[in-house]
Amino acid sequence: MSACALTVRWAAASDVGRLRARNEDALRIVFAPPCAVLADGMGGHRGGDVAARLAVDVVAEHLAVAAGSTDEEVCALLGEAVAAANKVIFEHAQIDPGLAGMGATVVAVRLFGERMCCAHVGDSRLYLFRGGELELLTRDHTMLQELVDAGMITAEQARAAPFRGMLTRALGALPELDADVFCRPLHAGDVLLLCSDGLTDMLGDDEIAAVLSGGGDVDEWAAELVAFANARGGRDNITVVLAQAS
């Protein structure tokens, strides 16, 4: 069946941060069928706002009405949803000079049965917290990640690099785009974390895991993660979405 066999509790939090004038992150949560989308916009005056909003609106609209009961079907739906969002953002930027150069990252999850599928583009991330261990499920589409993969720098050096935001893939940059898509099992007790780089640029994975290991619930964890990133300097907009399965 396409419905999620597990009960899922959602929470989300978003903040402009300490240095930015406006919040160019966006998120949508759809409860039936259960799915979530997070986008981080970029590009000129109002461009980032528009790109992020278009990304989450188009992807969520596709996922909310489309069915699917196998990994292949749901991965195809996610890929089509992201491709549609990319097309809309690219076309808006061609029509309106004020939106030229706008783009967005995106990470989206769709839950079904006892499975989760993800599509992502850019450096917004999806983590899985299971049994006290935090696992990064997505791979950043950035110049830094390519240097790490090539063995030219370490992951720790990448965290301190001044050009962390140089993307190699983003929605709206080209008329056609392929997202990374994959599926994984989902167990009772699992916590999924979708986040923009405003969180991960401020906090290490061990610090994120420490928050999720503490007492409280997903609402408290979402608020704590945003507050923690702001306490570290809040250099960018910070957005998190949490889903806890039971």
Side-chain angles (χ1 to χ4, degrees):
M1 62 181 177
S2 60
C4 186
L6 299 166
T7 300
V8 180
R9 181 171 180 181
W10 297 93
S14 187
D15 191 83
V16 69
R18 295 289 185 252
L19 302 181
R20 299 298 179 93
R22 62 185 185 277
N23 194 341
E24 296 184 342
D25 290 352
L27 67 92
R28 293 287 185 277
I29 297 172
V30 178
F31 297 100
C35 53
V37 190
L38 182 153
D40 180 355
M42 64 202 80
H45 178 63
R46 78 185 177 92
D49 299 342
V50 174
R53 176 176 51 79
L54 288 171
V56 297
D57 285 350
V58 173
V59 174
E61 180 181 1
H62 275 69
L63 297 183
V65 299
S69 59
T70 68
D71 286 8
E72 293 76 14
E73 290 171 342
V74 179
C75 277
L77 292 172
L78 281 162
E80 291 164 5
V82 171
N86 177 74
K87 185 174 185 290
V88 169
I89 294 170
F90 182 83
E91 290 177 348
H92 272 67
Q94 306 309 303
I95 294 169
D96 186 343
L99 300 178
M102 74 174 179
T105 69
V106 68
V107 58
V109 295
R110 168 80 178 269
L111 312 182
F112 65 104
E114 295 184 353
R115 306 283 291 172
M116 59 76 55
C117 284
C118 171
H120 94 101
V121 173
D123 59 0
S124 292
R125 293 179 174 181
L126 173 66
Y127 287 90
L128 171 66
F129 185 70
R130 174 184 290 166
E133 299 292 330
L134 186 70
E135 179 185 2
L136 175 61
L137 300 184
T138 52
R139 175 186 173 278
D140 292 349
H141 298 136
T142 62
M143 290 295 297
L144 277 176
Q145 186 62 52
E146 292 192 355
L147 292 175
V148 173
D149 292 346
M152 299 178 68
I153 63 172
T154 66
E156 191 60 33
Q157 288 172 326
R159 279 189 54 80
F163 53 99
R164 288 184 299 276
M166 292 181 63
L167 299 176
T168 57
R169 206 187 306 180
L171 298 184
L174 296 170
E176 296 184 358
L177 174 73
D178 290 329
D180 286 354
V181 293
F182 60 88
C183 292
R184 293 283 294 267
L186 189 65
H187 301 161
D190 285 353
V191 177
L192 297 173
L193 167 65
L194 296 77
C195 62
S196 62
D197 66 340
L199 180 75
T200 52
D201 280 352
M202 296 290 97
L203 304 181
D205 289 1
D206 56 337
E207 294 170 317
I208 296 172
V211 172
L212 301 181
S213 298
D217 56 26
V218 287
D219 292 296
E220 293 169 311
W221 295 335
E224 186 175 350
L225 286 169
V226 169
F228 198 171
N230 270 325
R232 280 288 176 81
R235 292 195 299 263
D236 200 353
N237 309 146
I238 311 151
T239 301
V240 302
V241 177
L242 290 163
Q244 185 172 38
S246 60

